[in-house]
Amino acid sequence: MAEELKFPTGLGTSDAESISLLGQDLAADLMGKVGFGELAFWLVAQRRPSPGEVRVFEAVLVALADHGFTPTAIAARLTYLSAPDSIQGAMAAGLLGGGSRFLGVTEDCGRYLAAALRDGRTAEEIAGSGERIPGLGHPVHKVQDPRTPVLIGIAKEEGLYGPHLRLLEGIAAVHPKKLPLNGAGVCGAALADLGLPVEMLRGFALLARAAGLLGQIAEEHRRPIANQVYMAVDRNAVYEP
């Protein structure tokens, strides 16, 4: 007899009478009792976060939700213009733009700091290396990213200011170019200090941006601008055979 197939999971399952999630009864134990941010943390970390961890985690989600007409937002709006019947396509278009220049810095910084801590590198060594350091510098906030002191302050208030944030601040303090810490990088350091896997950090940034993109699409529905963007590019295109 062929061996019975098994596909183990510790997340969710259901039967005719109930739905289980993370070992809890979804309807009785979670709905109305657990916030979405707390649940997202729990799903990835496989442990329920403390109230302080939830506060830091949700501050990160808020910090990354929306920054105006970024490429991710424009992509979502233009896709919605092209296919208003496919809101999932518009959402996906925006999320697919989360890379090394936008949103990806959160994971890049977390990975960089984790590797530096693992290798025992000091802030002085890193700052003097001449290498590109994710989390330093911002194209708009040249002096200070307004999110940075707030995130660091919340982490300190909750006793969650850990080695990743400490190293990132140390690097910025001794870096010869005196570049400001950007919010996305600080978010990555804060998430790493919560013990979340650095390989998942971009996913949290995308989770946050999903809310922002939905807001962008809703605004596009109420007050459309995507056709103007499209026509501005189309009418000013220069054909060079």
Side-chain angles (χ1 to χ4, degrees), residues 9-40:
T9 177
L11 299 178
T13 188
S14 62
D15 56 32
E17 290 81 30
S18 66
I19 302 172
S20 297
L21 183 64
L22 297 166
Q24 311 291 313
D25 185 297
L26 176 67
D29 302 329
L30 300 179
M31 292 176 63
K33 300 174 183 177
V34 175
F36 181 70
E38 181 178 358
L39 181 64

Side-chain angles (χ1 to χ4, degrees), residues 81-107:
L81 168 68
S82 181
D85 53 312
S86 177
I87 195 169
Q88 70 272 25
M91 292 280 289
L95 292 175
L96 287 170
S100 58
R101 291 186 177 177
F102 293 88
L103 293 178
V105 174
T106 298
E107 180 178 311

Side-chain angles (χ1 to χ4, degrees), residues 149-169:
V150 175
L151 281 167
I152 292 173
I154 291 172
K156 287 181 176 179
E157 288 171 12
E158 299 298 339
L160 294 167
Y161 180 78
H164 299 84
L165 280 170
R166 200 156 36 241
L167 179 58
L168 185 59
E169 278 208 287

Side-chain angles (χ1 to χ4, degrees), residues 95-147:
L95 292 175
L96 287 170
S100 58
R101 291 186 177 177
F102 293 88
L103 293 178
V105 174
T106 298
E107 180 178 311
D108 295 343
C109 187
R111 282 179 176 268
Y112 183 91
L113 295 170
L117 289 167
R118 186 174 59 248
D119 296 340
R121 300 178 70 190
T122 67
E124 290 75 15
E125 290 171 348
I126 295 169
S129 67
E131 61 196 36
R132 177 184 170 275
I133 303 166
L136 291 189
H138 194 282
V140 177
H141 308 300
K142 300 296 186 182
V143 177
Q144 183 182 67
D145 187 320
R147 298 168 295 177

Side-chain angles (χ1 to χ4, degrees), residues 179-204:
L179 297 169
L181 291 175
N182 64 59
V186 172
C187 285
L191 292 174
D193 277 342
L194 293 179
L196 294 166
V198 293
E199 299 83 6
M200 297 292 108
L201 298 191
R202 189 173 301 188
F204 293 122

